[in-house]
Amino acid sequence: MEYSPVLHSLHVVPSSHLKNKLFFFCIMLTLWVYMIYCCVGYSSTMPGLQAYYGRTEPQVDPRASSVGPSRDLLNNDNDLDSRGDDWEDVRTENDSSNNNVMSAFLNESETKKLPQAIIIGVKKGGTRALLEFLRLHPDVRAAGAEPHFFDRNYDKGLEWYRDLMPKSSEGQLTMEKTPSYYITKEVPARIYTMSKDTKLIVVVRDPVTRAISDYTQTHSKKPDIPSFESLTFKNTSGVIDATWSAVQIGMYAKHLERWLQYFPMEQLLYVSGERLISDPAGEVARVQDFLGLRRVVTEEHFHFNPAKGFPCLKRPEGNSKPHCLGKTKGRTHPNIDPDVVQRLREFYKPFNRKFYQMTGHDFGWD
């Protein structure tokens, strides 16, 4: 039989050609799957009708009622970022240990999310301490400075707000705290518009002690302000001035009425500022349960500092020195006229009793 180049070509070349095609097909299939994965991941972060928490924003009727205009002669702005520098080492160590156990792929998949939980108040109640306690939890990622988005920067939009949040992975909870939210009449409707499922935390404290602490903070910055006693009353009438912010903030029941127009009571958690000092592990346990978190932050994380008068944080493993809030925390309060203190207690009694009834908890301030 004669040798045929054509038959030889038909017998040998197709085998090599098929292998090349198969190899090329596998490469293209891999690239195609990767491109689909990237597109799906990117589209999940794009804004749209259901960009925020997967649903259309509801139309909210501005039904909120105001407690009244605030006479704030002292310019008592909340601290933009009241985190003490002493806390930073604990938080950094904790973040580093959490990041070390995450894979490279997980780190790459982290994104910035709108907060699912917000500490909305109150000023001088213990909000910074609570946030720092929660930051020890590996499933919590929190913004550092107070964003003041829903009260001062709402016109900048949700994407601006989202960009202020830390990156988090799937399963981690993003949160922030801005104490002035609780008393600002527009905020409940605005948070509801972002997400009606947002979990809200309020740290409350004896309103008289809170007012004195508020004044003490301002006095440390502006020593020439009028006395606490003179600011408490309307001129010389002897009537408590409920428009002064230091007094108005402590009218907790009035503010709660506004929040309940948009959120059910079970979506708000009221934390005792007093118990946050006397039993921090117990209060933080309640907060972790409320947020659906494992009880990771426990008694082992706290060390009471008798000099400062409140708990400091420590790492359970090792013998590292406990870290406390900054030097601005735990200021000595000025001596206030006992008659003025008693007048304030009488003023707050009806508000406190209504607040106990609404929340189903007696905070023991009377």
Side-chain angles (χ1 to χ4, degrees), residues 56-77:
T56 305
E57 295 180 353
Q59 297 297 317
V60 181
D61 180 29
R63 299 166 290 167
S65 60
S66 173
V67 174
S70 171
R71 179 181 68 84
D72 197 351
L73 300 179
L74 308 185
N75 189 24
N76 282 343
D77 290 336

Side-chain angles (χ1 to χ4, degrees), residues 284-304:
V284 173
R286 291 181 59 237
V287 177
Q288 290 175 102
D289 292 345
F290 173 72
L291 296 176
L293 299 170
R294 297 169 291 141
R295 288 193 178 185
V296 172
V297 184
T298 62
E299 292 88 349
E300 298 178 342
H301 289 86
F302 299 100
H303 170 78
F304 187 80

Side-chain angles (χ1 to χ4, degrees), residues 45-63:
T45 63
M46 291 293 289
L49 288 177
Q50 298 185 0
Y52 307 114
Y53 298 93
R55 62 175 170 275
T56 305
E57 295 180 353
Q59 297 297 317
V60 181
D61 180 29
R63 299 166 290 167

Side-chain angles (χ1 to χ4, degrees), residues 75-234:
N75 189 24
N76 282 343
D77 290 336
N78 291 296
D79 294 340
L80 292 179
D81 185 4
S82 56
R83 181 179 65 235
D85 295 336
D86 303 81
W87 292 89
E88 194 64 24
D89 293 337
V90 173
R91 188 179 63 83
T92 302
E93 290 173 10
N94 186 65
D95 289 346
S96 298
S97 62
N98 294 336
N99 290 336
N100 288 337
V101 301
M102 297 176 70
S103 66
F105 174 79
L106 191 57
N107 285 331
E108 290 177 358
S109 68
E110 287 186 335
T111 58
K112 292 187 175 184
K113 304 179 183 69
L114 291 170
Q116 298 102 325
I118 304 175
I119 299 176
I120 58 175
V122 298
K123 183 183 179 184
K124 307 309 295 179
T127 59
R128 174 54 59 185
L130 177 60
L131 185 66
E132 295 303 332
F133 295 166
L134 292 174
R135 285 162 80 97
L136 289 177
H137 200 294
D139 295 333
V140 171
R141 301 302 303 275
E146 296 169 4
H148 285 280
F149 172 65
F150 293 103
D151 57 352
R152 301 180 188 172
N153 299 300
Y154 194 64
D155 60 331
K156 295 182 179 179
L158 282 171
E159 285 306 316
W160 177 89
Y161 183 46
R162 185 205 298 267
D163 194 53
L164 297 179
M165 298 300 115
K167 287 186 177 181
S168 61
S169 59
E170 188 68 26
Q172 287 185 315
L173 179 78
T174 300
M175 64 186 306
E176 66 112 325
K177 76 106 175 173
T178 303
S180 56
Y181 287 166
Y182 187 65
I183 65 169
T184 305
K185 66 178 182 178
E186 298 86 2
V187 171
R190 290 173 175 177
I191 294 181
Y192 181 92
T193 300
M194 178 189 73
S195 172
K196 65 180 182 181
D197 297 322
T198 306
K199 293 187 176 182
L200 309 166
I201 301 173
V202 191
V203 186
V204 290
R205 181 184 183 187
D206 181 332
V208 177
T209 307
R210 196 223 65 82
I212 297 172
S213 180
D214 196 337
Y215 173 84
T216 303
Q217 181 186 54
T218 305
H219 186 266
S220 68
K221 300 175 183 178
K222 302 177 181 179
D224 58 341
I225 61 173
S227 68
F228 180 87
E229 290 85 350
S230 63
L231 290 167
T232 301
F233 302 103
K234 293 181 179 179

